[in-house]
Amino acid sequence: MSEAATSVDAGLSQPLLAKRSSPKWMISALLTTAIVALPVLSVIFLAFFPEENIWPHLIETTLPRYLTTTLKLMIGVGALTLVIGLASAWAVTMCEFPGRKFFEWAMLLPFAVPAYVIAYVYTSLLDYAGPVQGTLRDLFGWTSAADYWFPEIRSLEGATLMIGLVLYPYVYLLARAAFLEQSPSLFAVSRSLGHSALSTFFRVVLPIARPAVAVGLSLVLMETLNDFGTVDFFAVQTLTAGLFDTWLNLGNLGGAAQIATTMLIFVVILVTLERYSRRRQQQFAARDNRDPIQRFTMSFPRQMICLAVCALPVLFGFVIPGATLGLYAWEYFGESWNPDFVRNTFNSLFLSSTAALTTLLIGVTLAYSRRLHNTRKMQVLMRLSSLGYAMPGAVLAVGVIVPLAGFDNWLDSLMRDVFGISTGLLLSGSAFALVFAYTVRFLAVSAGSVESALQKITPSMDMASRSLGHSPGNTLVHVHLPMLRGTLVTAALVVFVDCMKELPATLILRPFNFETLATYVYQFASDERLYHSALPALIIVLAGIIPIILMSRSISNSRSIA
């Protein structure tokens, strides 16, 4: 079938699908979006109508410091990830050097290490009592900290480095994908005009890849804004740390909501800037974008530079932390493997699996509703349902606890008045709150993946199924889901790993005497028992490697490379 025929077929089929489909899909999408958007609305409402308005006090005292520190951290992490991500993506895509095929996927390995874990590891290595400074004192005969200078790891600069080492794969992943989609003829023309690899990068490749890089950078900045474990451990006073302090230490939920609203403003600005940066850019696939890429042949010194550009982030972002965790876990295995560890591992597996399945079910519902009703209203609903992914975990926790606690209090009051019994905290005091928060935060991952995969299935298959008497639900179950099996598994794995690593929302919403591996590691680190946190931290890291391999294979298989 020609491209024109396919286009006409798709254009005619969509209205027919919408006419013959049941409105229940639109209704379900509308209800789902309303529930997902509830935390955002709750935060905004509580910020404007708090029980005790401490906003003037925050502005006069701590808020300027929170804002300044947050901006410095985001700028530092953004610059670091941009340099590492772009340089490594360009090297593995367009330059030939020893170990290039290994680094194609190895550059993603730091993705598996949560920022707070790498912060704990390097603190144990670089602190005054750590092996690095201890070795230096033995070698040079120093007896105290006054005899020498050593950079302080627990600082804003240290937090910037730790977070940047594990977040640069966002930029690397999207930049490499953008480089692979570009036409080899562009590189050939640039080389024929005498431009070097570096000149070609800045003059030709980077301007075309800018939209993808902007998306990766915005994700980095939003994850930086979300981080709590690192900034708390390093005593860096960001907005997230201020939210925790205002809520948990000062007991003022309204003030926490006001700080959360400030963080939401940051997110809106980031999303707006990302879209503004590519407002006038429109790109089309070139005819030869599937042709093999001819990489630049370089001298030996330049090959070593490329090798260093790729090796150093992997070494410091994964190899050293992974080896350190493995060593500590082996040495303290007898103490770490205990009933608490087993119970907390089960809690993490249960919550992550439940959230992965929930987001998958809701994601399929939303994506399929969009396929049946491809209207502007559905496009708006899909965007609203993705709000949670842009919300920092601490902000999301505030938004979740308000409506759930309100419902629990209403139900408890009703049951007391009618039956004389107390129902307690059914939702806000149980694992339901965590699953709800995880689902809201990571729904965009599953919904986006399923929607993208559904777009590749021709509407003719829907029409053929409907002509045989199948309903939209039967068509989804018997036609689409078997074709989407790989996408569904990948999306579920990514959500599963994200839930395993999630810390800020889990700290706030977890029930009493209920811990996950992430909070378990955080508690050990807070008590300066870093060695005992190694085994649970290692489990989190190992769980994150599987989706990394899948993502790397997906990108590598997207194009034939010489």
Side-chain angles (χ1 to χ4, degrees), residues 31-112:
L31 290 176
T32 300
T33 304
I35 294 173
V36 169
L38 185 60
V40 181
L41 300 177
S42 300
V43 169
I44 296 174
F45 176 82
L46 187 59
F48 282 96
F49 303 100
E51 293 183 3
E52 179 185 357
N53 185 19
I54 64 169
W55 184 248
H57 175 72
L58 290 174
I59 293 177
E60 293 176 0
T61 54
T62 58
L63 190 61
R65 181 169 68 252
Y66 292 152
L67 286 170
T68 302
T69 307
T70 301
L71 283 172
K72 288 181 179 179
L73 182 65
M74 293 174 70
I75 292 172
V77 172
L80 181 62
T81 56
L82 197 62
V83 171
I84 297 176
L86 285 177
S88 56
W90 173 250
V92 300
T93 305
M94 293 304 305
C95 303
E96 195 62 63
F97 62 95
R100 179 192 57 78
K101 290 186 176 180
F102 167 76
F103 287 112
E104 283 183 355
W105 63 270
M107 294 302 303
L108 294 173
L109 288 176
F111 229 159

Side-chain angles (χ1 to χ4, degrees), residues 22 32 57 96 161 186 264 437 456 463 471 495 513 541:
S22 171
T32 300
H57 175 72
E96 195 62 63
L161 180 60
L186 294 174
L264 282 178
K456 299 177 182 178
M463 299 306 298
S471 65
V495 173
N513 298 321
V541 172

Side-chain angles (χ1 to χ4, degrees), residues 19 34 40 43 77 106 124 158 178 199 201 292 305 341 382 395-396 413 435 461 465 490 509-510 515 518 524 546 548:
K19 276 185 179 182
V40 181
V43 169
V77 172
S124 68
S199 177
F201 172 75
I305 293 176
F341 168 76
M382 286 294 293
V395 176
L396 185 60
S413 177
V435 173
M461 302 196 70
S465 176
T490 302
L509 297 174
R510 73 191 191 279
E515 303 291 342
F524 276 125
I546 299 175
I548 285 175

Side-chain angles (χ1 to χ4, degrees), residues 51-344:
E51 293 183 3
E52 179 185 357
N53 185 19
I54 64 169
W55 184 248
H57 175 72
L58 290 174
I59 293 177
E60 293 176 0
T61 54
T62 58
L63 190 61
R65 181 169 68 252
Y66 292 152
L67 286 170
T68 302
T69 307
T70 301
L71 283 172
K72 288 181 179 179
L73 182 65
M74 293 174 70
I75 292 172
V77 172
L80 181 62
T81 56
L82 197 62
V83 171
I84 297 176
L86 285 177
S88 56
W90 173 250
V92 300
T93 305
M94 293 304 305
C95 303
E96 195 62 63
F97 62 95
R100 179 192 57 78
K101 290 186 176 180
F102 167 76
F103 287 112
E104 283 183 355
W105 63 270
M107 294 302 303
L108 294 173
L109 288 176
F111 229 159
V113 187
Y116 55 86
V117 169
I118 198 174
Y120 303 156
V121 169
Y122 277 107
T123 298
S124 68
L125 294 177
L126 301 178
D127 252 358
Y128 179 80
V132 174
Q133 292 199 50
T135 302
L136 290 175
R137 289 194 296 271
D138 293 339
L139 287 175
F140 296 99
W142 296 326
T143 57
S144 68
D147 296 335
Y148 64 98
W149 176 86
F150 195 84
E152 178 57 55
I153 184 66
R154 301 196 192 200
S155 61
L156 176 62
E157 293 77 16
T160 300
L161 180 60
M162 297 297 101
I163 298 173
L165 281 175
V166 299
L167 292 186
Y168 80 82
Y170 276 115
V171 177
Y172 167 81
L173 192 68
L174 294 173
R176 183 173 173 241
F179 295 160
L180 288 173
E181 288 297 320
Q182 294 185 20
S183 170
S185 60
L186 294 174
F187 308 138
V189 170
S190 178
R191 294 169 72 177
S192 67
L193 294 175
H195 290 290
S196 63
L198 190 62
S199 177
T200 299
F201 172 75
F202 283 108
R203 292 175 176 267
V204 178
V205 178
L206 187 57
I208 299 176
R210 192 180 69 183
V213 174
V215 173
L217 186 59
S218 65
L219 290 173
V220 167
L221 297 179
M222 283 190 282
E223 288 296 327
T224 303
L225 187 63
N226 177 60
D227 181 86
F228 172 71
T230 307
V231 297
D232 177 66
F233 191 63
F234 284 1
V236 177
Q237 296 182 323
T238 62
L239 285 169
T240 304
L243 188 154
F244 272 80
D245 183 62
T246 303
W247 186 359
L248 301 183
N249 294 335
L250 299 181
N252 193 302
L253 183 57
Q258 291 169 335
I259 295 178
T261 304
T262 306
M263 296 173 70
L264 282 178
I265 294 174
F266 267 82
V267 171
V268 171
I269 292 174
L270 288 174
V271 173
T272 303
L273 289 176
E274 181 267 319
R275 291 184 177 177
Y276 181 81
S277 68
R278 53 188 175 94
R279 69 194 185 284
R280 295 181 179 176
Q281 290 204 355
Q282 190 173 14
Q283 299 183 21
F284 302 93
R287 292 180 179 273
D288 61 344
N289 70 336
R290 295 289 175 182
D291 293 344
I293 293 177
Q294 300 296 326
R295 294 191 181 84
F296 291 98
T297 302
M298 299 177 297
S299 61
F300 180 76
R302 292 186 177 181
Q303 291 182 23
M304 293 300 101
I305 293 176
C306 289
L307 181 61
V309 165
C310 295
L312 290 178
V314 177
L315 175 65
F316 290 105
F318 181 79
V319 176
I320 292 178
T324 304
L325 289 175
L327 179 62
Y328 291 167
W330 177 263
E331 291 181 352
Y332 291 86
F333 184 82
E335 299 177 37
S336 300
W337 188 279
N338 53 50
D340 287 340
F341 168 76
V342 175
R343 181 174 58 255
N344 296 334

Side-chain angles (χ1 to χ4, degrees), residues 438-518:
Y438 292 166
T439 302
V440 173
R441 176 148 169 73
F442 301 117
L443 177 59
V445 176
S446 62
S449 300
V450 175
E451 183 184 14
S452 177
L454 278 174
Q455 289 175 350
K456 299 177 182 178
I457 301 176
T458 173
S460 300
M461 302 196 70
D462 299 69
M463 299 306 298
S465 176
R466 301 294 294 278
S467 67
L468 294 174
H470 292 290
S471 65
N474 286 333
T475 301
L476 173 64
V477 173
H478 297 292
V479 177
H480 294 307
L481 291 185
M483 301 178 67
L484 298 174
R485 187 180 296 113
T487 299
L488 297 178
V489 171
T490 302
L493 278 173
V494 173
V495 173
F496 176 86
V497 173
D498 282 337
C499 294
M500 289 278 288
K501 296 190 297 183
E502 212 292 324
L503 179 63
T506 310
L507 279 173
I508 294 176
L509 297 174
R510 73 191 191 279
F512 293 111
N513 298 321
F514 186 95
E515 303 291 342
T516 64
L517 287 176

